[in-house]
Amino acid sequence: MNELIARDVVLVRAIETADQQKEILSEDDRMYASRSARELAQWQASGKQAGVTGDDFLQQRSEQILKRLTERTPAFASFAKRRNGMKTLSLTLPLLALLLGAGLDRITDPHRVDLLSAPLLLIIAWNLLVYIGLFIWLFIPSHPLGWPKAGLVRHLSVGKLSMPRKLPHVLATGLLNFSVEWGQLSRKLTSARLGRTIHLSAALFAIGAVASLYARGFLSQYAAGWESTFLGAGQVHSLLSTLFAPALAIFPLQGFSLAEIEALRFPQTTAAEGGARWVHLYAATIFLLVVLPRVILAVISNLRAVHLAKSFPLDLDQPYFRKLNESIGVSTGGLLRVLPYSFTVDEARHKGLGQIATMLFGEQGRVMLRPSTSYGEEPKEVLRDTDLNDVQVNITAALFNLTATPEKENHGAFLTYLAQSSTRGIAVLIDESSYLEHAGEALENDNRRAERVALWQQFCQFHHTTATVVNLLNPALHPLDAGVGLKLSAAA
């Protein structure tokens, strides 16, 4: 599934998930879209003499729903056509870098090549520092840079956050949810494209600086020289010998001696024809240390971006997709793994978990109940034999009791460990059955229940997860059909 198809599929999922009361997409609309998509997918598959795939079905279904929404709500059409800001940035930033690099030499003496040119030395030094930082970060992948920021990624992935006017409230909510979710899903792709743009811009900035230096040399006579308050001729000779060593080793350029460096020290008079040698040395050095590595890094980022755009990493094992694929017979069920915390699950509630798995994955849905983690236990020790990235498990869910009061040192530590250890993300189930048994059905108790639910929701949000309230004694009270209401945390 490529990027454009994945974007439409995620957009439709966000709208359907927000429209739980079926205000903008009726049950008939959804059934018609599924039926039409199934027929189109089967027709396409017969032409290819292949079987119907879930990707083809989801693509056709999303196109059907988006077409219907566009016809009914003209304001939605403007959002559907909205494109991200990455294309504009990819064009303007490199061009701007080239122009800035070309104008860099205007702050220097137009008739002299400074052997200790601050702008050229800064270009080289900054890029070397970037290479060192990138190399070091290869060995600490578990500590994300925190850049680019989520807001920048969302803007580059989705565009402006503002919603078109005259949108139904439910549709606007779905679009806002999509903007946040797509920003998270496309983070790797956007980061690769942004890296490509930045590396290309750095290369063009250096090219602009060198090109301007040569262009000015056709119209002016360069003289060479240097001056420093703290550096002597020997130190400058050592510095330049180290700096220009790669260029002198690869290109047939003229070297220099300590005596020549001493002779070029300002304010002594120097021969004007000596400037060309230093222009060539700086140009060759910048090409080897800046332009060439940056172009290579840009190519690597581009290859990564192209791969991600062609094979977008959308997790089709999630309940929403499995429920849809079940309608064309390509779903194989799913496994819900439940990790209780300070919660003893009796037989009746175990049966309720099985019903929830059926809601999420269809008739073939299964549940795996793991032993409960006792209050205060270290989750790393308790779960050391549990593979949180087991490919056979479709959803891993932490289970808490609504009667418990969430604590950062215990419940929070449990959530943090699960979220950081699972690449797919985790769900959080809050069972209200025990609380309702003790509280009764009085109005004031209902208000207290709402307060406790809000407390858990805020607590889970603080730990970058989403709380889903369930009733294990009567799961039908909170239906989770097609994944509505059950959300996974962002992948670590």
Side-chain angles (χ1 to χ4, degrees):
M1 184 179 295
N2 64 38
E3 176 194 5
L4 296 179
I5 297 174
R7 183 184 187 276
D8 290 344
V9 170
V10 174
L11 176 57
V12 169
R13 179 178 64 174
I15 294 173
E16 287 192 275
T17 303
D19 187 24
Q20 297 187 37
Q21 303 302 321
K22 298 178 173 56
E23 299 176 24
I24 57 176
L25 286 172
S26 66
E27 187 65 29
D28 289 340
D29 291 333
R30 303 179 193 215
M31 292 180 61
Y32 173 80
S34 296
R35 184 171 60 252
S36 300
R38 182 168 56 251
E39 293 173 355
L40 288 170
Q42 290 172 345
W43 178 73
Q44 288 184 341
S46 64
K48 300 176 183 177
Q49 296 183 346
V52 179
T53 65
D55 286 11
D56 293 336
F57 170 70
L58 292 172
Q59 176 186 357
Q60 296 294 340
R61 187 176 184 275
S62 63
E63 290 178 358
Q64 294 289 326
I65 289 180
L66 292 178
K67 180 180 179 181
R68 178 152 297 196
L69 287 174
T70 301
E71 293 172 350
R72 291 178 178 175
T73 312
F76 173 76
S78 63
F79 182 92
K81 296 178 180 178
R82 181 182 296 178
R83 290 295 175 256
N84 59 52
M86 195 67 241
K87 185 175 182 179
T88 301
L89 184 67
S90 298
L91 295 175
T92 57
L93 189 60
L95 179 59
L96 181 62
L98 179 65
L99 296 176
L100 289 176
L104 185 67
D105 70 317
R106 297 304 173 186
I107 65 175
T108 61
D109 188 339
H111 298 287
R112 171 178 151 180
V113 177
D114 193 343
L115 274 59
L116 299 178
S117 173
L120 299 180
L121 290 175
L122 283 175
I123 290 176
I124 297 171
W126 168 250
N127 282 273
L128 291 178
L129 286 175
V130 169
Y131 306 150
I132 293 173
L134 292 175
F135 178 76
I136 292 175
W137 221 256
L138 290 175
F139 299 95
I140 46 177
S142 59
H143 296 79
L145 283 168
W147 190 92
K149 297 296 184 182
L152 175 61
V153 170
R154 184 205 52 75
H155 178 75
L156 294 177
S157 302
V158 185
K160 297 180 180 179
L161 189 59
S162 59
M163 293 294 109
R165 296 181 179 180
K166 300 180 180 180
L167 277 181
H169 175 72
V170 173
L171 185 55
T173 301
L175 297 185
L176 286 172
N177 293 340
F178 162 75
S179 298
V180 175
E181 184 177 10
W182 185 250
Q184 295 174 345
L185 291 174
S186 60
R187 182 181 183 88
K188 291 183 179 179
L189 175 58
T190 302
S191 297
R193 287 172 171 167
L194 186 59
R196 175 188 63 193
T197 301
I198 291 176
H199 291 311
L200 183 59
S201 299
L204 288 176
F205 182 83
I207 290 174
V210 172
S212 178
L213 198 62
Y214 274 106
R216 196 176 63 185
F218 284 103
L219 303 176
S220 302
Q221 177 66 56
Y222 282 135
W226 65 277
E227 57 182 329
S228 174
T229 302
F230 302 105
L231 298 179
Q235 294 169 308
V236 173
H237 179 265
S238 299
L239 173 64
L240 295 180
S241 296
T242 302
L243 179 64
F244 296 142
L248 290 171
I250 296 176
F251 298 105
L253 298 174
Q254 181 184 355
F256 49 89
S257 64
L258 175 59
E260 289 178 302
I261 297 296
E262 179 65 42
L264 293 175
R265 185 167 189 170
F266 181 83
Q268 296 175 200
T269 302
T270 60
E273 60 272 12
R277 182 207 307 186
W278 303 100
V279 171
H280 297 325
L281 284 172
Y282 263 113
T285 300
I286 288 177
F287 172 78
L288 291 175
L289 301 184
V290 180
V291 177
L292 186 59
R294 287 288 194 169
V295 169
I296 293 174
L297 290 172
V299 170
I300 294 174
S301 295
N302 182 66
L303 292 175
R304 183 165 175 259
V306 170
H307 171 72
L308 290 172
K310 289 183 178 179
S311 302
F312 192 86
L314 184 61
D315 186 6
L316 298 181
D317 279 336
Q318 295 184 15
Y320 172 87
F321 300 117
R322 282 183 166 267
K323 287 287 289 187
L324 290 176
N325 288 334
E326 188 181 41
S327 64
I328 59 171
V330 297
S331 178
T332 58
L335 178 61
L336 170 66
R337 175 172 54 188
V338 179
L339 306 175
Y341 183 85
S342 188
F343 192 143
T344 301
V345 180
D346 56 24
E347 184 177 352
R349 290 178 173 82
H350 192 175
K351 183 178 179 181
L353 286 172
Q355 295 179 39
I356 289 177
T358 302
M359 289 180 183
L360 296 174
F361 301 115
E363 293 300 325
Q364 300 183 53
R366 297 172 293 125
V367 64
M368 176 198 295
L369 180 63
R370 302 294 298 166
S372 177
T373 300
S374 301
Y375 179 85
E377 281 191 291
E378 186 68 30
K380 185 176 181 179
E381 292 297 323
V382 177
L383 302 174
R384 64 179 180 274
D385 297 326
T386 302
D387 182 6
L388 294 175
N389 296 306
D390 188 347
V391 295
Q392 302 299 323
V393 177
N394 303 103
I395 294 181
T396 296
L399 176 62
F400 299 102
N401 198 325
L402 186 62
T403 59
T405 300
E407 298 176 356
K408 179 180 179 181
E409 296 78 7
N410 298 294
H411 307 82
F414 186 70
L415 280 179
T416 299
Y417 174 78
L418 293 180
Q420 292 180 348
S421 302
S422 175
T423 56
R424 177 172 291 180
I426 64 166
V428 180
L429 302 178
I430 311 295
D431 177 39
E432 66 174 11
S433 60
S434 297
Y435 181 86
L436 293 181
E437 281 183 334
H438 293 88
E441 299 181 357
L443 178 61
E444 60 176 302
N445 291 332
D446 186 67
N447 292 335
R448 291 177 181 176
R449 173 196 169 280
E451 291 176 358
R452 296 197 68 83
V453 169
L455 175 64
W456 270 103
Q457 288 175 337
Q458 293 175 1
F459 180 80
C460 291
Q461 185 177 8
F462 177 78
H463 288 87
H464 308 291
T465 57
T466 301
T468 301
V469 177
V470 296
N471 189 311
L472 296 185
L473 294 181
N474 188 5
L477 288 176
H478 303 283
L480 302 178
D481 185 48
V484 174
L486 183 60
K487 297 182 179 179
L488 301 183
S489 63

